[in-house]
Amino acid sequence: MIKTYLALFGAICILLIGNSPSVISPFIVGSFEDYFNLSKQSVGNLMSLELGLMAISSIFFSTFKINYKLSHLIILGVSIVLIAYLLTSFAINTTQLALIRAFSGIGCGLLIAKGHALIASNNNPEKSYAFFSMSSTIVGAIIIYVSGSILNNFGYQYFFISLFIFYLLLIPLILFIKEKPVNEVIKPGSEDLNVKTVSLLIIGILSFELASGGMWAFDERLGVEFIGISISSVALVLSISTLTGLLAPPIVLYIGNRYGRSLPIYIGVTSILMCFIWILKYPSYFSFFAGNIIWYFFFTMTVIYVLAASAIISPTGRLASWLNAAILIGMSVAPSLFGYILDRGTFIDLLPLLFAFILITLICITFIRKTLDQTE
């Protein structure tokens, strides 16, 4: 039993490192903009490059069989990500920065693909992804708070060196992963995935992440520039809101799928749109604080139910990895798109776009509601 949980947490650590650029993207965006004196669209393009390559790499390594030991691939991926964080701290121009972050994106995608393959193979997907969500929330809250403090007091270089050290400390847990997924009853080549279901789910999640990922990427700028909060205060708000996401996994574990998965997803997506409207239409410290808390709670809940549904549809983890890639594609496109709008307007101008993306998500979920609610 202990070995099983250690193996699960090892797989979770792989995903934590793989998804790390997306988790701390608000501070990466802010640090690039301030240190290199870039426009919002330029820094958005840099983030788009890394997140886009993360998505492409994730799709590649989850779709095609690579004839190397799983442990060797994971060591390769972790090494690439950690070295990239270290090299980023010494970058002196945007060309170097782009090359290093592109290098990081490939390693992150590899880790995302292998992490999902390990987690989705578990017999209880709600439980596995709830543990993943809790772990990512705790780690995310810690690193968000620390990131704000380091950027505020020590600057750009120490920020990326601290990221290198922080994720280096997670490596011991990775040693407990099993060489093969826990449940190999279904082989990757034997899955009969419904094209309509997979397509609508990917489009829905992509649209959802275009809205949420764009807001998340510029959340630090929203607090600092639009509302007038200090960087350290923004870091505190984001870390507290991230910790609030810890409430979602126990609720998901308790409720499970007794009411289906589509209903919680509907509630989550709609509530997130309401948060965006509140923060942007009524900007204040309170709306920023409370809106981020509610947003992160429902975001965490929604992602758990979506990934749990994907694990039922595709027990090999292939669909979960594709969905993670769709999230990353959304996050990669959103910074450039949102940066373009913000360079020519203000944050309030984002509302029509946010509404349209969320509406597309709700329509897609409606068409595949029965599939999402299935139990086996």
Side-chain angles (χ1 to χ4, degrees), residues 80-145:
I80 289 173
V81 176
L82 293 183
I83 290 170
Y85 277 132
L86 193 59
L87 290 176
T88 301
S89 67
F90 299 107
I92 59 174
N93 56 56
T94 53
T95 301
Q96 291 181 3
L97 196 60
L99 290 172
I100 294 167
R101 299 322 300 169
F103 180 60
S104 170
I106 295 171
C108 286
L110 168 57
L111 294 179
I112 288 167
K114 299 310 171 185
H116 278 300
L118 290 165
I119 293 178
S121 65
N122 195 282
N123 291 321
N124 190 332
E126 269 91 3
K127 182 178 179 181
S128 298
Y129 279 112
F131 275 125
F132 165 61
S133 177
M134 290 173 68
S135 302
S136 62
T137 297
I138 294 170
V139 171
I142 293 170
I143 202 160
I144 284 171
Y145 180 73

Side-chain angles (χ1 to χ4, degrees), residues 299-316:
F299 178 84
T300 305
M301 183 191 76
T302 301
V303 169
I304 293 173
Y305 274 110
V306 168
L307 290 176
S310 74
I312 294 296
I313 298 168
S314 171
T316 62

Side-chain angles (χ1 to χ4, degrees), residues 324-338:
N324 203 145
I327 289 173
L328 292 169
I329 291 171
M331 292 190 74
S332 69
V333 174
S336 290
L337 180 59
F338 279 49

Side-chain angles (χ1 to χ4, degrees), residues 74-204:
I74 290 169
I75 290 170
L76 175 63
V78 170
S79 299
I80 289 173
V81 176
L82 293 183
I83 290 170
Y85 277 132
L86 193 59
L87 290 176
T88 301
S89 67
F90 299 107
I92 59 174
N93 56 56
T94 53
T95 301
Q96 291 181 3
L97 196 60
L99 290 172
I100 294 167
R101 299 322 300 169
F103 180 60
S104 170
I106 295 171
C108 286
L110 168 57
L111 294 179
I112 288 167
K114 299 310 171 185
H116 278 300
L118 290 165
I119 293 178
S121 65
N122 195 282
N123 291 321
N124 190 332
E126 269 91 3
K127 182 178 179 181
S128 298
Y129 279 112
F131 275 125
F132 165 61
S133 177
M134 290 173 68
S135 302
S136 62
T137 297
I138 294 170
V139 171
I142 293 170
I143 202 160
I144 284 171
Y145 180 73
V146 172
S147 294
S149 299
I150 291 174
L151 274 173
N152 205 37
N153 297 307
F154 301 102
Y156 171 87
Q157 288 186 319
Y158 285 99
F159 169 56
F160 282 98
I161 291 172
S162 69
L163 292 176
F164 167 78
I165 295 171
F166 185 90
Y167 287 110
L168 184 68
L169 297 175
L170 296 180
I171 288 179
L173 274 176
I174 295 175
L175 300 176
F176 290 101
I177 64 165
K178 295 183 178 180
E179 187 63 36
K180 296 180 180 180
V182 177
N183 180 5
E184 288 194 317
V185 175
I186 300 178
K187 301 295 181 184
S190 66
E191 284 186 319
D192 184 19
L193 298 177
N194 184 283
V195 175
K196 177 186 173 183
T197 298
V198 171
S199 299
L200 284 172
L201 187 55
I202 289 175
I203 291 169

Side-chain angles (χ1 to χ4, degrees), residues 242-255:
T242 303
L243 282 173
T244 309
L246 284 172
L247 297 175
I251 291 173
V252 172
L253 285 171
Y254 176 73
I255 296 176

